[in-house]
């Protein structure tokens, strides 16, 4: 059994799960401090219902994927590309936003709880909603990634479950047993891994889009012009529909479906057939989103505004 497809889902659910576990732990600790332990049941209800809702979203996406498979190759490929683009956008935003707001996470959550528990009649529902949306947000991003990669089956699901289990264990170590872990370093390492995985998803999304355009181009002669690289730029032996000339072909040396290609594919987005547009998009994404991520690690803005120095003598 090839377990490489479990790596991305494990990394994502581990990171997302630890973020959710931090919020749950902060809420529980604050309720203990405020002597509102009677509201703990609402916390666990929010966790349970949030996980169930995430599972239902996954089932819905799986059904959409199944229906797309019966609607035609082009529909299926364009749907895969759409899921991939949404996953790229959501995970990239989450990566940068969380890094920029990690320092104030505890303060923000505690402020939300403080205002919630003041409303005695609705305090339980307020706590439930806070936890529920935190869990669903993390679950939705994970499910969207799985749908974007079209990684259906047992192995990716096992990776996701393992990630949730490890995240739960880290949460227990932090808040129940008082183990001191360097959370900042953890999120930095996981963020770098996530950045590489999402960069690979850019390559995957373009591959799906190219396959969809290729399927449309074969419908009739009028649609053949959609594959403009078939008639321009690329040589016949290495041409592709909209991805341009081939950069490399390692299908015989290191296939993406076999070790170690499968590991590189899972972690770095490696493909044994890489085309020019994919290579450009991959590096543009790494430079822009990766640059914004590392700038946020340093607490800086990607494009800081510089003020002109003023002359104090005037």
């Amino acid at each position: 059994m090839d377990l490489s497809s479990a790596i991305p889902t494990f990394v994502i659910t581990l990171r997302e799960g630890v973020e959710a576990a931090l919020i749950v732990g902060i809420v529980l600790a604050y309720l203990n401090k405020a002597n509102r332990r009677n509201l703990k049941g609402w916390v666990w209800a929010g966790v349970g219902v949030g996980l169930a809702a995430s599972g239902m979203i996954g089932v819905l996406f799986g059904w959409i994927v199944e229906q797309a498979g019966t609607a035609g190759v082009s529909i299926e490929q364009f749907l895969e590309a759409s899921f991939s683009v949404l996953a790229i956008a959501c995970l990239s935003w989450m990566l940068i936003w969380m890094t920029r707001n990690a320092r104030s996470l505890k303060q923000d959550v505690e402020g939300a709880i403080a205002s919630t528990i003041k409303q005695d009649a609705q305090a339980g529902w307020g706590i439930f909603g806070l936890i529920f949306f935190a869990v669903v947000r993390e679950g939705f991003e994970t499910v969207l990634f799985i749908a974007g990669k079209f990684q259906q089956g047992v192995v990716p699901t096992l990776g996701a479950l393992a990630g949730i289990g490890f995240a739960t264990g880290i949460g227990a170590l932090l808040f129940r047993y008082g183990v001191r872990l360097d959370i900042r370093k953890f999120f930095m390492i996981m963020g770098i891994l996530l950045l590489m995985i999402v960069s690979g998803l850019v390559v995957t999304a373009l591959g799906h889009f190219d396959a969809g355009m290729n399927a449309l181009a074969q419908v009739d002669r009028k649609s053949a012009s959609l594959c403009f690289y078939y008639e321009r730029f690329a040589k016949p032996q290495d041409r592709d529909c909209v991805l341009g000339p081939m950069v490399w072909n390692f299908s015989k040396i290191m296939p993406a479906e076999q070790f170690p290609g499968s590991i590189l594919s899972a972690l770095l987005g490696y493909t044994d057939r890489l085309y020019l547009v994919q290579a450009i998009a991959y590096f543009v994404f790494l430079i822009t989103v990766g640059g914004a991520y590392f700038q946020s690690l340093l607490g800086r803005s990607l494009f800081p505004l510089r003020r002109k120095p003023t002359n104090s003598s005037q």
Side-chain angles (χ1 to χ4, degrees):
M1 179 184 293
D2 184 11
L3 299 178
S4 60
S5 60
I7 297 175
T9 55
F10 172 78
V11 170
I12 290 177
T13 52
L14 176 59
R15 191 203 179 281
E16 303 290 288
V18 169
E19 184 178 336
L22 286 177
I23 296 175
V24 171
I26 291 170
V27 172
L28 291 173
Y30 189 89
L31 292 177
N32 282 335
K33 184 179 178 181
N35 292 321
R36 298 299 300 272
R37 295 179 180 84
N38 59 306
L39 296 175
K40 284 186 176 182
W42 291 95
V43 174
W44 299 119
V47 172
V49 176
L51 289 174
S54 299
M56 291 177 65
I57 294 172
V59 172
L60 175 61
F61 278 14
W63 179 82
I64 294 174
V65 167
E66 184 178 351
Q67 295 302 310
T70 62
V73 176
S74 61
I75 300 295
E76 180 180 0
Q77 294 295 335
F78 283 129
L79 183 63
E80 293 181 15
S82 299
F83 278 141
S84 298
V85 170
L86 285 174
I88 291 167
C90 288
L91 291 171
S92 300
W93 176 85
M94 176 274 300
L95 179 65
I96 297 172
W97 180 89
M98 180 59 185
T99 305
R100 289 180 176 175
N101 293 275
R103 295 180 180 89
S104 61
L105 177 64
K106 182 178 180 181
Q107 182 179 355
D108 294 341
V109 173
E110 288 183 345
I113 303 168
S115 60
T116 298
I117 61 177
K118 290 179 181 178
Q119 305 171 1
D120 291 333
Q122 302 295 327
W125 286 108
I127 296 295
F128 172 85
L130 176 67
I131 298 298
F132 170 79
F133 285 112
V135 173
V136 168
R137 183 182 69 242
E138 312 303 340
F140 176 77
E141 290 169 351
T142 302
V143 169
L144 192 60
F145 172 81
I146 295 174
K149 293 282 286 186
F150 263 42
Q151 290 183 314
Q152 308 297 317
V154 176
V155 176
T157 303
L158 290 177
L161 293 176
I164 294 173
F166 272 81
T168 303
I170 291 174
L173 289 175
L174 288 172
F175 295 101
R176 186 173 181 83
Y177 299 104
V179 176
R180 300 182 67 86
L181 298 176
D182 193 337
I183 292 297
R184 185 177 182 276
K185 185 175 292 186
F186 169 83
F187 276 112
M188 182 181 69
I189 295 173
M190 299 303 295
I192 293 173
L193 286 175
L194 184 60
L195 177 65
M196 302 306 299
I197 290 172
V198 178
S199 299
L201 193 56
V202 172
V203 175
T204 302
L206 288 171
H208 291 322
F209 181 74
D210 177 80
M213 294 292 285
N214 194 15
L216 284 179
Q218 296 178 8
V219 173
D220 52 44
R221 296 187 63 182
K222 293 181 179 179
S223 302
S225 60
L226 292 173
C227 290
F228 53 87
Y229 270 112
Y230 278 177
E231 304 297 333
R232 306 173 181 89
F233 310 119
K235 297 178 181 179
Q237 65 267 25
D238 60 12
R239 64 190 180 185
D240 205 63
C241 185
V242 295
L243 297 181
M246 186 178 290
V247 176
W248 70 53
N249 185 351
F250 294 157
S251 56
K252 294 183 179 180
I253 301 175
M254 189 166 60
E257 296 80 14
Q258 299 177 11
F259 181 84
S262 58
I263 301 296
L264 295 176
S265 177
L267 288 176
L268 305 177
Y270 165 78
T271 176
D272 47 27
R273 290 182 176 88
L274 182 70
Y275 294 89
L276 180 62
V277 174
Q278 289 175 311
I280 293 174
Y282 183 87
F283 286 107
V284 167
F285 181 86
L286 273 182
I287 292 171
T288 55
V289 177
Y293 171 65
F294 285 107
Q295 288 283 336
S296 64
L297 282 177
L298 300 174
R300 302 173 185 172
S301 175
L302 182 60
F303 301 107
L305 295 176
R306 295 182 180 178
R307 296 182 178 179
K308 294 181 179 181
T310 57
N311 191 345
S312 58
S313 63
Q314 293 180 352

